Amino acid sequence: MSILFTPLTIGSTTFRNRLWVAPMCQYSAVDGVPAEWHHVHLAQFASGGAGLVVAEATAVSPEGRISPDDTGIWNDAQQRAWAPIVDALHARGALAGLQLAHAGRKASTWSPFAGHRGTVPGDQGGWQPVAPSALAYEGYATPTELDLDGIDKVVADFAAAARRAVDAGFDVLEVHAAHGYLLHQFVSPLSNQRTDEYGGSFENRIRLLTRVVTAVKDAAPQALVAVRFSATDWADGGWDVDDTVRASAVVRDLGADLIDVSSGGLVAHQQITTGPGYQVAFAAAVRAGAGIAVNAVGMIDTGEFAEEILARGDADAIMSAREWLRDPHFALRAARDLGDAVAWPPQYERARWR
């Protein structure tokens, strides 16, 4: 049996394998409520053998949405809509994860399907975005700087969302502190120019993140809590790998169980060099330096490559995104390519071997 298809236990949570589905925004919700598209989209990955399926960035408040078409988890209707989707994932053998998110200054933007970019005007369903500082992301509206009451509301919104998520049945809650969204905006000096207890020093800049992780852990003690970091801003003077290792150790001590290591997204002038596995070294640095389980992500599109990463000890699990869109049965194919005798849905058994 390959490492990729060996079960993984983190705390009290056991995954059937280590090939997981990364969160991918679908921009297909109405009033934050997931619909039939989300049910079919996510359930197919569980049928395809994923060990964990993490649903898209899901806003903890209306103003936390990236676009008006994002999913949410701030009210009862959304919670009820997520529950049968979670049941479908469980029925197919996968664990269910939800990425809890607030877009900050990158909120109230048009979805990729709108045909144009930028901030959605208020008379077309948009709203005023908020951020640690009144600094706009290039091409977007200038956000309002959060005051201390606003920061307290963000923490309360994450906690309430965590409670709703576990009530809907989710096993894994991922705190989104990456890709230029609100928590990432707070930790990076490129977007945080505050002079109070939430700005300046490293300890101050991660203060909101640590409050959110603590609140989520307290609200949902039965869930596995992950944190997604952008390991580097890919820009001079920004958040970097050393910061990520240091912050990962801090959230580990607060009860986080897993670090999801990605990168970029904070500033438009980022300079990223991409290629297969281009973010794996960041995951390896966090795993070695912070002593916490990590998953690697980024152009990992074959079972053989995923197995190589795990065999080197660079990560504990692998998340992929686009490859699952190309092939919703990626895990079954990878197991077949690796010669692993994993269980297939009986309806698909005829395709297992030649």
Side-chain angles (χ1 to χ4, degrees):
M1 181 68 72
S2 65
I3 302 171
L4 188 62
F5 288 96
T6 300
L8 173 65
T9 298
I10 301 174
S12 60
T13 303
T14 298
F15 305 85
R16 64 178 171 181
N17 61 48
R18 303 167 189 236
L19 186 54
W20 302 345
V21 179
M24 293 176 276
C25 290
Q26 298 297 293
Y27 304 104
S28 300
V30 177
D31 295 327
V33 178
E36 180 192 21
W37 174 266
H38 302 87
H39 192 130
V40 175
H41 164 70
L42 295 168
Q44 66 180 341
F45 302 135
S47 296
L52 168 67
V53 179
V54 182
E56 64 195 81
T58 296
V60 299
S61 62
E63 65 273 17
R65 292 171 294 168
I66 303 167
S67 81
D69 307 310
D70 284 22
T71 55
I73 188 69
W74 69 79
N75 64 34
D76 291 345
Q78 295 157 359
Q79 178 183 321
R80 287 194 297 268
W82 280 117
I85 297 174
V86 173
D87 290 344
L89 298 178
H90 288 162
R92 291 161 175 79
L95 295 188
L98 188 66
Q99 188 180 64
L100 304 178
H102 191 304
R105 70 179 187 176
K106 295 175 81 172
S108 189
T109 59
W110 294 104
S111 85
F113 316 143
H116 43 273
R117 296 182 69 251
T119 301
V120 180
D123 60 0
Q124 297 183 56
W127 58 92
Q128 176 61 34
V130 297
S133 302
L135 299 172
Y137 184 85
E138 185 178 334
Y140 294 175
T142 300
T144 298
E145 180 174 311
L146 280 165
D147 60 17
L148 296 183
D149 287 342
I151 288 174
D152 287 345
K153 181 182 182 298
V154 169
V155 176
D157 287 341
F158 269 93
R163 286 190 290 270
R164 290 187 183 281
V166 294
D167 286 347
F170 284 101
D171 310 287
V172 175
L173 304 181
E174 179 170 271
V175 174
H176 198 357
H179 300 165
Y181 298 122
L182 184 66
L183 298 181
H184 186 184
Q185 292 161 28
F186 266 87
V187 303
S188 175
L190 296 181
S191 47
N192 183 347
Q193 295 185 0
R194 300 176 73 97
T195 57
D196 63 4
E197 63 266 41
Y198 290 93
S201 68
F202 173 86
E203 291 78 10
N204 284 355
R205 286 184 282 110
I206 69 167
R207 190 179 305 278
L208 176 57
L209 170 65
T210 60
R211 289 188 63 192
V212 166
V213 170
T214 299
V216 168
K217 193 70 178 180
D218 289 346
Q222 66 273 52
L224 183 149
V225 173
V227 179
R228 172 168 265 197
F229 282 112
S230 279
T232 173
D233 289 339
W234 296 99
D236 290 342
W239 183 262
D240 62 22
V241 178
D242 290 341
D243 292 327
T244 303
V245 172
R246 189 176 173 191
S248 296
V250 172
V251 298
R252 176 205 65 204
D253 290 344
L254 295 173
D257 305 286
L258 173 72
I259 305 298
D260 177 5
V261 187
S262 188
S263 70
L266 183 81
V267 291
H269 63 273
Q270 62 187 9
Q271 297 292 318
I272 303 179
T273 301
T274 64
Y278 71 102
Q279 296 173 139
V280 172
F282 305 147
V286 172
R287 189 172 190 260
I292 188 170
V294 304
N295 68 262
V297 65
M299 300 177 71
I300 304 169
D301 55 9
T302 69
E304 291 89 346
F305 187 26
E307 178 71 7
E308 176 187 326
I309 292 166
L310 297 177
R312 288 199 307 259
D314 289 345
D316 299 276
I318 302 296
M319 272 192 186
S320 292
R322 290 180 176 88
E323 190 60 25
W324 284 102
L325 298 182
R326 288 187 281 264
D327 179 3
H329 305 115
F330 177 32
L332 298 182
R333 172 167 55 84
R336 184 177 184 272
D337 291 345
L338 291 170
D340 286 335
V342 302
W344 282 48
Q347 298 91 336
Y348 295 169
E349 185 68 35
R350 75 190 73 175
R352 182 173 177 180
W353 307 113
R354 291 188 181 277

